[in-house]
Amino acid sequence: MATATKVQLSLDHCGEFHVPNISTESAAAASAFVYPTSHLLSDTWTQPFAPDHIGHHAVTNVALGAPASSFEDHYNRNQSYQRPPEPIDQDIIQNLHNPNIFLKYLDQERYYHDYVIFFQHEIDKHGLEKVVNEYVLKNDDRANALLIRIMCANDGWLGPYLLAIEKAAAANMEPSKSLADIIDQIAADPDLLSGAIWEEGNGARHGILGLVPEAIVRYASQWKVGIDELEYKTAEMTNNAGSYFRSVLNRNSTFHLLSICNGFHFTAFFAGAAQHPPKQIKFDFYYMHCVTSSICYTTFLRQPWITPANKRRLLQFKGWFDLGMYASRKAPKLLPNEIVDYKPKQPSGWDGIIERVIAHPDDGHASKLVRALKHGENICRPYEGDPKFRVKDAIDSVQASGKPWVRNAGFEEAWTDFEDRPTAQV
């Protein structure tokens, strides 16, 4: 039985997308490698609260049907950047009930383990649902601080951006624009893109949001979610490239795309179409995270203990985050034909793609990407008609030579170290 201190993956709850016939042996093997890493911190990352990917990798690969024998290999490959947790301080753990103390220690890495123990106690005492509603979704200073850190997997620098957009969106009486239309606006605004500077490193924190925050707030606040359209807007966030493709192709008087656009994520589109020919095909590392996190939002919709207002807020934050992320990498020109015309190196259906990715020796990013893409195809089917999945360069790109991901795809400098494609692919 699963508890606050014991992860027990169940075949009854394999997530939003999973293959059939997952074995009990695989679930048990993965469970053994999820909980231990929640007590470990990254040893080689330079930023505080650097993410640990081992648990994510194990949970994802269970859903994709990985054999039980594979989980230890993946764990061993990634444990080198882990280190033992800091000693706990019982006084601090007790004092974390005080909202002011909770906020005081939140960005200090040495107290990470104290927060872990604190939340284990809270979940044991009150249950997961009450704890999440109180500490993440309550919309007070403490909950907002934690929610924002969960969303950006780091410290709270994203908070002023999201909260400012939330305020501007509430005051905006105009109908919501589509995410795809807003991306067009962002890409066409030279003043906004002047904030994307290669030397800034963190293009979101020190570039776009640091130099031209008003512009991204103005654009992002044009996307809004109504309580009565949660499922539709979740599909839009996950798959809005369909409407973008139609707008592109309608402007060019080409062909009707309903038969091919299903399976595109809004986020997968700008991740997959942000290419730089003749350079080899690569997904942007930061955009990839927008795709992999999209699968969570269908799960949120299915939870009866999350209020419709909080489901709406979570989804809006995600859409706004994605828009900011796209802009922060200098809004690369999106090339639809890079997706539509792509010829997989190993043509196959989903089964072949999944078989390749669960054996891929990385930290789980590729598995999460493929699973999120397949999930997107499933939930967007009601809106797009017959599916024809096209973003099949996901596994090819990470198995190609060189680094598996490009970082900051809108910058010429980001592509310097990548090879040109063979002439036939240009």
Side-chain angles (χ1 to χ4, degrees), residues 14-20 63-64 231 234-236 238-239 261-265 294-295 298 302 350 354 370-390:
C14 294
E16 291 302 328
F17 168 74
H18 59 87
V19 300
L64 295 179
E231 289 203 13
T234 299
E236 182 192 3
T238 308
N239 180 33
C261 67
N262 190 31
F264 284 115
H265 297 207
S294 67
I295 194 171
T298 308
R302 301 187 195 283
W350 276 110
I354 290 171
V370 166
R371 186 188 183 200
L373 291 172
K374 175 56 180 169
H375 168 71
E377 180 186 69
N378 290 350
I379 71 165
C380 296
R381 187 170 290 119
Y383 303 101
E384 294 294 350
D386 295 334
K388 191 174 183 181
F389 181 77
R390 288 294 182 110

Side-chain angles (χ1 to χ4, degrees), residues 339 342 344 348-350 353 356 389-396:
I339 300 173
Y342 185 77
S348 70
W350 276 110
I353 294 171
R356 289 169 64 191
F389 181 77
R390 288 294 182 110
V391 192
K392 289 185 177 177
D393 52 344
I395 183 61
D396 285 348

Side-chain angles (χ1 to χ4, degrees), residues 185-196:
Q185 292 179 306
I186 289 172
D189 186 338
D191 291 334
L192 171 62
L193 298 184
S194 69

